[in-house]
Coordinates of all heavy atoms in Angstrom, one line a residue:
V257 N 29.8 -26.9 -11.7 CA 30.0 -25.6 -10.9 C 29.6 -24.4 -11.8 O 30.3 -24.3 -12.8 CB 31.4 -25.4 -10.3 CG1 31.6 -24.1 -9.6 CG2 31.7 -26.6 -9.4
P258 N 28.5 -23.8 -11.4 CA 28.2 -22.6 -12.3 C 29.2 -21.5 -12.2 O 30.0 -21.3 -11.2 CB 26.8 -22.1 -11.7 CG 27.0 -22.5 -10.3 CD 27.8 -23.8 -10.2
G259 N 29.1 -20.6 -13.2 CA 30.0 -19.4 -13.2 C 29.4 -18.2 -12.5 O 30.1 -17.2 -12.2
V260 N 28.0 -18.3 -12.5 CA 27.5 -17.0 -11.9 C 26.4 -17.4 -10.9 O 25.7 -18.3 -11.0 CB 26.8 -16.2 -13.1 CG1 25.9 -15.0 -12.6 CG2 27.8 -15.7 -14.0
L261 N 26.3 -16.7 -9.8 CA 25.2 -16.7 -8.8 C 24.5 -15.4 -8.7 O 25.2 -14.4 -8.6 CB 25.7 -17.1 -7.5 CG 24.7 -17.2 -6.3 CD1 25.1 -18.4 -5.4 CD2 24.7 -15.9 -5.6
T262 N 23.2 -15.3 -8.7 CA 22.4 -14.1 -8.5 C 21.6 -14.3 -7.2 O 21.1 -15.3 -6.9 CB 21.6 -13.8 -9.7 OG1 20.5 -14.8 -9.9 CG2 22.4 -13.7 -10.9
M263 N 21.4 -13.1 -6.7 CA 20.4 -13.0 -5.5 C 19.8 -11.6 -5.5 O 20.3 -10.7 -6.1 CB 21.1 -13.4 -4.1 CG 22.1 -12.2 -3.8 SD 22.9 -12.6 -2.2 CE 24.1 -13.8 -2.7
S264 N 18.6 -11.5 -4.9 CA 18.0 -10.3 -4.8 C 17.2 -10.1 -3.5 O 17.0 -11.2 -2.8 CB 17.1 -10.0 -5.9 OG 16.0 -11.0 -6.0
G265 N 16.9 -9.1 -3.0 CA 16.2 -9.0 -1.8 C 15.6 -7.6 -1.5 O 15.6 -6.6 -2.3
T266 N 15.2 -7.4 -0.2 CA 14.6 -6.2 0.2 C 15.2 -5.6 1.5 O 15.6 -6.5 2.4 CB 13.0 -6.3 0.3 OG1 12.4 -5.1 0.4 CG2 12.6 -7.3 1.5
V267 N 15.1 -4.4 1.5 CA 15.6 -3.7 2.9 C 14.5 -2.9 3.5 O 13.9 -2.2 2.8 CB 16.8 -2.8 2.8 CG1 17.2 -2.0 3.8 CG2 17.9 -3.5 2.1
R268 N 14.2 -3.0 4.7 CA 13.1 -2.2 5.3 C 13.5 -1.7 6.7 O 14.1 -2.2 7.4 CB 11.9 -3.2 5.7 CG 11.4 -4.0 4.4 CD 10.6 -3.1 3.4 NE 10.4 -3.8 2.3 CZ 9.2 -4.2 1.8 NH1 8.1 -3.9 2.7 NH2 8.9 -4.8 0.7
T269 N 13.2 -0.3 6.9 CA 13.6 0.3 8.1 C 12.7 1.5 8.2 O 11.9 1.9 7.4 CB 15.1 0.7 8.1 OG1 15.3 1.2 9.5 CG2 15.3 1.7 7.1
F270 N 12.7 2.2 9.4 CA 12.0 3.4 9.6 C 12.9 4.6 9.8 O 12.5 5.8 9.6 CB 11.1 3.3 10.8 CG 10.2 2.3 10.9 CD1 10.5 1.0 11.3 CD2 8.8 2.5 10.4 CE1 9.4 -0.1 11.3 CE2 7.9 1.5 10.4 CZ 8.3 0.3 10.6

Side-chain angles (χ1 to χ4, degrees):
V257 172
V260 174
L261 175 146
T262 61
M263 68 180 77
S264 62
T266 186
V267 174
R268 306 296 171 101
T269 186
F270 297 90

